[in-house]
Amino acid sequence: MPTGADAPPTARAIRVVRTRAELREALSSAPRPIGLVPTMGWLHAGHRALIERARAENATAIVSIFVNPKQFGDPSDLARYPRNEARDVEICQESGADLVFAPDVAEVYPPGFDTTVRVGAIAEPLEGAARPGHFDGVATVVAILFNLVGAERAYFGQKDAQQLLVIRHMARDLAIPTDVIAHPTVRDPDGLALSSRNVHLAADERAAAPVLRRALLAARGAWEGGERSGGTLRRIMSDVLAREPLANPEYVSVSDAETLREVDRVEGPALLSLAVRFGKTRLIDNELLP
Ligand code: AMP
């Protein structure tokens, strides 16, 4: 990026708002349709792709940056979540966003806040089982963001496949008229899905982490070769993970892509998904079949 005197004039200056009132005021003159990209900051090329898509498909592109305490079960996980707002705002600007909403916790959850949005069965397995309360926090904050912004569209990454389904369900059940749009997972060249958490990986863990992708692709390859047994596909993924000593699998799943119920046989669209720990860092990834 050129800087200083070499920098070309920027097309539009980005605006950062922090309160509900400032957001409302900024939105009152924003051209429609509006595209929203909810994030927790520490933005990377995966977020960039969502923002660029929101930019391309809408007249106004808004990014929210909010590390949502309600979706963290473990206080140390929240405390060590990486943050760098100045850099995030730069990335938002480069990716074409018009507006950043970066509220503090009391602005999102004012004193006396006492409502939880809980989505049912789709939020229970996988990440829901591994991280109790996580999706309550996600659904609650996204419902608030959807109501505050009133966007026509909101963009989410396929990397968090269950989150996407939970949010779709929430928006439908609560009659929130924001279209929930999925965007493909952005990866490093070695296949590791980009994640704000990758920064915590030690060098040897980072080198080992693409094993998630290899496990998913091994199962996909078997499925493409005609294998339909859920048990066999799970075993193929577990075997690949077992060959990487730094990888501690938390779950290895082959589920129905809509209900996320584990399947014995893959007969329709299915989701292969993994959660694996490397030291203290927990990574997830998934692959949709077909
Ligand atoms: P986060 O900041 O981790 O809460 O993520 C904000 C949004 O970016 C969510 O919709 C994520 O699914 C999405 N996202 C995170 N990582 C990626 C990635 N590697 N590719 C595409 N989308 C992503």
Side-chain angles (χ1 to χ4, degrees):
M1 263 307 282
T3 53
D6 298 328
T10 37
R12 35 178 129 201
I14 197 161
R15 193 170 160 203
V16 181
V17 296
R18 301 194 180 278
T19 67
R20 292 174 178 226
E22 285 169 349
L23 177 66
R24 202 175 310 117
E25 187 272 316
L27 288 172
S28 66
S29 57
R32 306 202 79 100
I34 291 173
L36 169 68
V37 181
T39 80
M40 297 205 299
W42 201 262
L43 302 183
H44 51 62
H47 300 108
R48 270 185 206 267
L50 299 183
I51 301 167
E52 285 166 4
R53 178 147 175 210
R55 161 78 288 140
E57 296 181 353
N58 300 277
T60 299
I62 302 186
V63 181
S64 63
I65 299 175
F66 179 62
V67 181
N68 175 31
K70 286 192 192 288
Q71 72 187 69
F72 288 81
D74 173 0
S76 69
D77 189 25
L78 172 61
R80 75 189 203 120
Y81 201 83
R83 302 173 196 236
N84 184 343
E85 191 189 289
R87 184 168 157 272
D88 289 343
V89 170
E90 239 173 69
I91 290 173
C92 290
Q93 163 114 31
E94 288 166 12
S95 311
D98 302 287
L99 188 65
V100 171
F101 179 46
D104 68 19
V105 173
E107 196 63 33
V108 175
Y109 304 117
F113 186 95
D114 196 19
T115 295
T116 300
V117 179
R118 171 169 299 166
V119 177
I122 195 78
E124 279 166 17
L126 305 174
E127 291 300 287
R131 305 178 65 190
H134 170 67
F135 285 125
D136 291 359
V138 169
T140 301
V141 79
V142 173
I144 294 168
L145 290 169
F146 278 14
N147 284 325
L148 287 175
V149 176
E152 277 78 4
R153 305 188 183 95
Y155 296 83
F156 294 88
Q158 181 61 38
K159 198 203 121 212
D160 299 284
Q162 188 177 15
Q163 167 171 283
L164 189 61
L165 294 172
V166 166
I167 290 167
R168 282 222 167 101
H169 214 103
M170 179 277 292
R172 195 186 67 202
D173 288 355
L174 300 184
I176 299 178
T178 298
D179 257 355
V180 174
I181 294 174
H183 193 80
T185 302
V186 177
R187 301 174 181 283
D188 269 336
D190 63 7
L192 178 64
L194 297 183
S195 164
S196 308
R197 294 175 191 277
N198 294 354
V199 70
H200 295 310
L201 295 168
D204 55 345
E205 295 167 343
R206 173 63 189 81
V211 72
L212 274 85
R213 181 73 175 148
R214 288 203 304 279
L216 291 164
L217 291 182
R220 169 177 270 283
W223 176 83
E224 283 168 356
E227 181 58 64
R228 292 294 180 267
S229 156
T232 302
L233 294 172
R234 278 178 215 107
R235 196 154 50 245
I236 288 168
M237 292 191 280
S238 296
D239 287 349
V240 174
L241 294 172
R243 291 199 291 273
E244 174 44 69
L246 294 179
N248 295 302
E250 212 170 81
Y251 62 73
V252 172
S253 162
V254 180
S255 67
D256 179 291
E258 266 172 41
T259 64
L260 299 185
R261 281 195 215 108
E262 293 301 303
V263 294
D264 292 332
R265 291 198 61 75
V266 177
E267 264 142 17
L271 185 73
L272 310 173
S273 58
L274 302 174
V276 180
R277 280 186 192 277
F278 295 82
K280 279 195 207 157
T281 307
R282 182 174 183 278
L283 302 182
I284 60 171
D285 202 351
N286 66 82
E287 178 76 7
L288 262 181
L289 302 178

